[in-house]
Amino acid sequence: MTECSCLGELALFNTAQVRMCRGAPLSVLKVFRTDLCSFLQYVPAKGESVIGIVTAKSGDVFKVDVGGSEQASLSYLAFEGATKRNRPNVQVGDLVFGQFTIANKDMEPELVCIDSCGRANGMGVFGGDGLLFKVSLGLVRRLLAPQSDLVSDLEKMFPCEMVVGMNGRVWVKARTVQHTLILSNLLEASENMSTAQRHTLFSRVADGGI
């Protein structure tokens, strides 16, 4: 998970369709965009960390949508501190941040929410109010890069929480829904901008010029 801080007053809205998911203990704002990257299927890779959406419970296993051609499985024992008597509180509709331990064409993808030492290390169920949207792998790599200049620029603006998955999903939450929407639009707009263009846009936002 990545934390960033930001500030400003702006309302940028694109043609994305936004809907509130209800009926789950955690309310999640999801954005379903109609551009090309929303149609590309993710191919799971062992060791990659992704954002998944719990779609069903099947015995001792949760089924998780990771944006691929098939859903991944997630055992209830694959959480820190989980035992047969102490099961994690995971509900259909929850967002999970996990890592693939099995990912090949001959087997169902398998996720865990613990590291090799049995610690969560930032993985597990997360969310609450927030915005989930899809971006390109190129933008994901920029966000996850050590000392990312894009994240550094965002830290100068709205205070927020951010989770980035290698399956192209990004979740953000700022202090208000409006700020969260602005932040997601800034991220999407930054994808095709040069550093100078991004600095110009962010400066305008910070100064209330947009």
Side-chain angles (χ1 to χ4, degrees):
M1 294 189 181
T2 301
E3 290 193 3
C4 58
S5 326
C6 323
L7 74 110
E9 288 277 336
L10 169 69
L12 291 175
F13 298 95
N14 57 20
T15 56
Q17 177 185 358
V18 181
R19 79 178 183 189
M20 177 70 79
C21 296
R22 303 186 185 277
L26 299 179
S27 296
V28 180
L29 274 172
K30 296 180 183 178
V31 171
F32 298 89
R33 291 163 43 194
T34 57
D35 59 14
L36 178 61
C37 73
S38 65
F39 292 100
L40 297 178
Q41 286 188 330
Y42 168 68
V43 179
K46 184 177 179 179
E48 286 192 343
S49 297
V50 298
I51 295 174
I53 305 169
V54 179
T55 59
K57 292 182 180 180
S58 178
D60 295 335
V61 174
F62 301 103
K63 295 297 183 180
V64 182
D65 170 22
V66 294
S69 59
E70 62 179 319
Q71 299 191 56
S73 63
L74 173 63
S75 169
Y76 76 91
L77 291 173
F79 292 83
E80 182 176 357
T83 64
K84 290 183 178 180
R85 292 187 176 182
N86 182 32
R87 297 195 176 208
N89 182 19
V90 181
Q91 305 296 326
V92 172
D94 282 354
L95 296 181
V96 293
F97 186 62
Q99 187 177 61
F100 284 109
T101 54
I102 296 177
N104 62 62
K105 63 181 181 180
D106 300 317
M107 298 180 68
E108 180 183 53
E110 187 173 307
L111 284 171
V112 296
C113 291
I114 49 176
D115 60 20
S116 57
C117 298
R119 300 293 185 183
N121 195 21
M123 293 182 283
V125 176
F126 72 96
D129 294 333
L131 192 67
L132 179 67
F133 56 101
K134 191 172 179 64
V135 300
S136 71
L137 183 57
L139 184 55
V140 165
R141 288 171 174 160
R142 289 172 61 192
L143 291 170
L144 294 177
Q147 300 179 337
S148 167
D149 58 342
L150 178 52
V151 173
S152 177
D153 289 344
L154 291 171
E155 287 176 347
K156 301 172 184 177
M157 303 186 70
F158 307 105
C160 68
E161 297 175 81
M162 184 187 304
V163 183
V164 182
M166 286 301 296
N167 55 341
R169 289 175 176 167
V170 177
W171 175 89
V172 294
K173 179 184 178 182
R175 289 177 177 173
T176 68
V177 172
Q178 181 189 32
H179 288 178
T180 299
L181 289 169
I182 294 167
L183 185 58
S184 70
N185 277 274
L186 287 175
L187 281 170
E188 292 175 341
S190 299
E191 186 163 2
N192 299 312
M193 288 184 174
S194 66
T195 300
Q197 290 172 325
R198 186 178 72 248
H199 287 167
T200 299
L201 173 62
F202 284 20
S203 294
R204 292 175 64 192
V205 173
D207 294 338
I210 295 181

